Amino acid sequence: MVKSMRLNIEYEHDIAINAFYWTPRSYREPLHYHASLEIGCCVSGEGEFYFGSKKYVVAPGDIFIVNHTERHIACSAEHNPSSYLFLNFDPGLLLEEDERLLLPFSIPSERFQNLIPSDSALATAIWPLMQSIWLELDRKLEGYQMMAKGLLLQIVSHLLRSCSTDIPPSEWREITDSFSNFRIISAYMQEHFNEPLDLEQLARMLHLSSSRVSRMFQEVLGRGFKDYLLLLRLAEARRLLVRTDMPVTEVCFASGFQSVSSFYRLFAGAEGISPMAYRNKYSGIAIFENELP
DNA sequence: ATTTCAGAGAATTCCTGGTG
DNA sequence: CACCAGGAATTCTCTGAAAT
């Protein structure tokens, strides 16, 4: 059994994306994994990239795709250490747009191609986008969060396109089919997150057991049902706090929370401040005049 | 408006039996 | 024999009332 550890990734910006340059050690560190998805591009040097028992030899320009289940680690050649630009990001960002964007990261490990060779059209398309994200997050000019997210969506759309054409239609069919249950649930949740919602109920929709559906979330998203539901509810709560003058208690129930105490606890856990403090901090900033209440 | 806490309830994990 | 789904056991989180 190979030793591996789960890392908890913290995001350093107002958007759940990190971009950073990194040089792997020249000895082999233990494998690790994390809930966030990752894309790495080798910019210089030599080395290897390990995924479980798979091993890739790395050259500058090569791009690596890391999903939330595979254990992995990069390693530099001693005489010529490699350097990478890495992006890691929360799968929730993709889910907000279209569940299918998660497909490139949900392909079974044995047929998952982690390496995009430097000379491929795909790598050529992705690399400048990665650099732009790094620049945006570094400079933090007005609207950089939207820029970064937009660029990320482009990158992942490129990936989606390429796997839909590279993988034989029959197999692609199989992969998208096994994904369809999740799409049904995810769509339902986005529509009904502000109502009481539990796994049992979702499981019934699919004629599956709740334990099965719980595992499905881990497999597809890398995070549990509760976590994902919370993500949706918090987004709505933030919006209501900033854009309306609804009392906090009302915001709580309107965004789907079932009790005020858990709302305060979870909100503070995510934002670090109480709902009212959040409103005071951000409500002065109206982006569009016509969205004022 | 916000926090606290014990009891209640739900989600996740582990285990087992069925299935190809 | 490997894989997958359901159910039991376990672990974790929420709820609701009361205090600040």
Side-chain angles (χ1 to χ4, degrees):
Chain A
M1 182 64 200
V2 191
K3 206 173 91 180
S4 68
M5 55 182 182
R6 186 186 169 96
L7 301 182
N8 198 20
I9 306 281
E10 304 272 339
Y11 299 101
E12 298 154 22
H13 314 278
D14 287 341
I15 181 163
I17 306 177
N18 286 327
F20 54 95
Y21 282 93
W22 186 63
T23 298
R25 310 278 172 175
S26 55
Y27 57 90
R28 205 177 144 178
E29 291 190 275
L31 300 169
H32 69 262
Y33 67 107
H34 34 68
S36 63
L37 304 173
E38 193 166 65
I39 300 175
C41 182
C42 176
V43 288
S44 65
E46 296 169 38
E48 291 100 41
F49 213 124
Y50 297 91
F51 287 86
S53 52
K54 293 183 281 186
K55 172 186 170 180
Y56 300 91
V57 175
V58 187
D62 287 346
I63 293 180
F64 288 90
I65 306 300
V66 183
N67 69 18
H68 57 75
T69 56
E70 282 194 291
R71 276 71 172 152
H72 60 277
I73 191 68
C75 181
S76 280
E78 210 155 311
H79 58 283
N80 184 15
S82 51
S83 169
Y84 289 82
L85 172 58
F86 271 106
L87 301 178
N88 54 44
F89 54 93
D90 192 295
L93 283 177
L94 305 181
L95 208 49
E96 285 167 14
E97 296 310 314
D98 189 322
E99 303 84 12
R100 282 177 310 157
L101 293 173
L102 288 171
L103 273 170
F105 301 93
S106 303
I107 297 161
S109 176
E110 59 281 5
R111 76 169 342 288
F112 193 65
Q113 181 54 264
N114 303 91
L115 170 67
I116 302 169
S118 59
D119 53 8
S120 65
L122 187 54
T124 317
I126 290 178
W127 167 238
L129 297 168
M130 292 180 69
Q131 282 177 300
S132 303
I133 290 183
W134 185 84
L135 269 179
E136 287 292 341
L137 294 181
D138 186 52
R139 291 186 184 157
K140 293 191 167 43
L141 301 178
E142 183 66 42
Y144 76 94
Q145 300 97 327
M146 279 83 86
M147 281 288 194
K149 183 174 176 183
L151 291 160
L152 181 67
L153 293 176
Q154 283 192 55
I155 293 176
V156 180
S157 302
H158 276 298
L159 294 177
L160 178 63
R161 236 180 229 181
S162 122
C163 43
S164 70
T165 53
D166 291 356
I167 295 176
S170 59
E171 275 183 63
W172 182 244
R173 196 55 199 270
E174 205 177 299
I175 292 166
T176 51
D177 279 358
S178 69
F179 201 70
S180 69
N181 271 346
F182 181 77
R183 293 194 67 189
I184 293 169
I185 286 198
S186 161
Y188 185 86
M189 285 176 75
Q190 296 191 29
E191 190 94 352
H192 300 275
F193 67 88
N194 53 1
E195 303 163 21
L197 220 51
D198 62 71
L199 261 188
E200 199 65 45
Q201 175 189 350
L202 296 175
R204 267 199 303 273
M205 285 172 49
L206 299 178
H207 309 290
L208 290 170
S209 67
S210 58
S211 59
R212 184 68 205 90
V213 178
S214 175
R215 252 175 298 148
M216 190 162 85
F217 273 90
Q218 285 299 337
E219 287 159 15
V220 177
L221 256 193
R223 68 154 53 107
F225 159 72
K226 204 96 245 187
D227 254 27
Y228 177 45
L229 183 58
L230 178 62
L231 206 73
L232 297 173
R233 289 177 171 170
L234 282 175
E236 177 69 354
R238 281 191 227 102
R239 194 184 69 79
L240 291 174
L241 284 168
V242 174
R243 303 276 180 85
T244 74
D245 53 5
M246 241 184 230
V248 172
T249 309
E250 231 175 281
V251 169
C252 157
F253 293 112
S255 38
F257 291 89
Q258 302 301 304
S259 84
V260 228
S261 53
S262 57
F263 175 56
Y264 278 103
R265 181 171 39 78
L266 296 165
F267 193 92
E271 295 297 331
I273 53 180
S274 72
M276 202 56 193
Y278 184 89
R279 166 172 279 163
N280 292 333
K281 187 170 170 190
Y282 293 108
S283 61
I285 312 165
I287 300 178
F288 302 110
E289 288 295 327
N290 60 7
E291 286 196 15
L292 286 169

